[in-house]
Amino acid sequence: MQTLAAFFLSRRISLPPAEQRLIEVEPGVPVLCHCHWQKDRKTLTLIVVHGLEGSSESQYMLGIARNGLAAGMNVVRMNQRNCGGMDHAAPTLYNSSRSADVAAVARNLVEHDGIPAFVLIGFSMGGNLVLKLAGEWGSNAPPEFLGVAAVCPAINLAAGADALHEPANRIYEYYFLLQLFKRFRRKVRLFPASFDASRLRGVKTLREFDDRVTAYYCDFTGADDYYARAAAANVVDRIAVPALIIHAANDPFIRLLPETKQMIVSNRNITYIETEDGGHCAFFGERGGKGYDGRWAEREVVAFARQFR
């Protein structure tokens, strides 16, 4: 109920106009970022990354932007490659391994705007990306990188893909496949020399899609190889900055394996919060106080970031 409510219950979030910026994450591959600046940009910046088939317009992205701006921070809503209307930009696909794209955006903001500090925030697939990057940087992170927060991060990718195929979760898998099929067919129309629509034949699960499409076009040998190499679980023990991970025990399809949870709680830099309720990236709570609409996780990650101002 939490998960579906977060998806179907819209809300009005008023934000000031954002600067739209195209940032190259590799030669010839731009991503679209919506940048909300304080009058003085020399303050903490939140770089926020969405989940699978989300965008900078996802409700939680807008909620973080509103909360971050109210707390005196800059907020950059980053679209992953292809997302936010950018399918035409390059013959490439986004996937859960592309933590280097997040690093490229952060580097651009430091070099172009002179931001003195930033915190990475990710939801679901975006949570995997920001935790993966934090672990890859380890103790060699840029000095401007002060912290990372992830809500319902998909850091055990194989377990999550298999959970989506459980009977109770087929509605979610069907939704993701519907969106992924539409996007891939759009890429075929835009770049017929680079993509082949016939690879979708017989695909009925997310794992099959990742095996026949994601892995094939993104230099993995198959879904197993993709899930194994792209998972932030491989490097979460190397995170060397303060980190916050929020997970709901009743998340319908995000699975944290026992060994991964042990790595998380053994890392003294990580604060791990597991709630009984919350669903997937929902965490509806009671409304109260000025400007608080009950989205608990959105409030918590901005409160976590506030310590670095």
Side-chain angles (χ1 to χ4, degrees):
M1 290 178 64
Q2 287 256 355
T3 304
L4 293 174
F7 183 82
F8 287 111
L9 296 180
S10 61
R11 50 182 169 151
R12 293 185 178 181
I13 299 176
S14 298
L15 294 174
E19 174 197 355
Q20 295 190 28
R21 182 180 299 179
L22 294 177
I23 297 176
E24 275 199 338
V25 293
E26 64 180 51
V29 182
V31 299
L32 174 63
C33 294
H34 289 88
C35 306
H36 299 273
W37 301 111
Q38 299 290 340
K39 290 183 179 180
D40 181 2
R41 297 188 183 187
K42 299 300 177 19
T43 188
L44 182 68
T45 298
L46 307 182
I47 302 174
V48 198
V49 188
H50 60 80
L52 182 65
E53 285 305 294
S55 75
S56 59
E57 298 301 314
S58 295
Q59 291 283 306
Y60 51 80
M61 299 285 279
L62 301 177
I64 293 293
R66 177 195 59 194
N67 295 351
L69 286 171
M73 308 170 192
N74 303 318
V75 181
V76 175
R77 295 181 285 130
M78 173 187 168
N79 284 288
Q80 297 187 52
R81 49 174 92 185
N82 298 327
C83 301
M86 293 293 290
D87 282 303
H88 65 281
T92 182
L93 301 177
Y94 76 109
N95 66 70
S96 291
S97 74
R98 298 199 185 278
S99 51
D101 289 3
V102 183
V105 168
R107 184 167 56 250
N108 177 275
L109 297 172
V110 170
E111 296 175 355
H112 182 274
D113 300 283
I115 61 170
F118 65 88
V119 169
L120 299 176
I121 297 174
F123 287 77
S124 194
M125 175 186 178
N128 180 74
L129 287 170
V130 298
L131 293 174
K132 180 172 180 286
L133 178 58
E136 290 166 340
W137 274 342
S139 58
N140 297 313
E144 297 84 5
F145 177 46
L146 300 188
V148 57
V151 179
C152 300
I155 62 177
N156 287 125
L157 294 168
D162 293 339
L164 266 175
H165 195 57
E166 295 172 0
N169 291 329
R170 286 290 287 162
I171 185 174
Y172 305 116
E173 185 174 46
Y174 178 78
Y175 169 77
F176 285 130
L177 286 175
L178 180 67
Q179 300 304 313
L180 289 166
F181 274 42
K182 287 169 59 178
R183 181 180 300 282
F184 185 67
R185 290 182 176 126
R186 190 157 57 242
K187 298 296 284 191
V188 172
R189 292 193 299 271
L190 290 166
F191 302 100
S194 299
F195 300 104
D196 179 5
S198 69
R199 297 204 66 81
L200 293 177
R201 291 175 187 163
V203 172
K204 297 180 180 178
T205 70
L206 181 64
R207 179 179 276 274
E208 289 172 349
F209 180 88
D210 284 335
D211 192 66
R212 292 187 52 81
V213 177
T214 308
Y216 182 81
Y217 289 109
C218 299
D219 299 322
F220 298 97
T221 59
D224 288 339
D225 180 47
Y226 166 48
Y227 294 151
R229 291 165 54 191
N234 297 326
V235 294
V236 72
D237 60 324
R238 291 161 45 191
I239 293 176
V241 297
L244 172 67
I245 296 177
I246 296 176
H247 173 68
N250 70 344
D251 190 310
F253 49 83
I254 296 298
R255 299 290 185 268
L256 287 183
L257 299 179
E259 55 269 31
T260 301
K261 188 179 294 188
Q262 183 57 44
M263 291 171 61
I264 289 171
V265 299
S266 297
N267 186 332
R268 294 182 179 181
N269 295 307
I270 301 175
T271 298
Y272 176 69
I273 299 175
E274 181 174 307
T275 63
E276 292 183 9
D277 196 15
H280 183 65
C281 296
F283 298 96
F284 281 87
E286 294 183 6
R287 301 184 182 192
K290 183 179 180 181
Y292 179 53
D293 58 5
R295 266 57 170 197
W296 175 80
E298 295 173 14
R299 183 184 68 178
E300 290 302 300
V301 294
V302 172
F304 164 79
R306 190 178 287 119
Q307 68 182 292
F308 303 110
R309 285 199 59 208

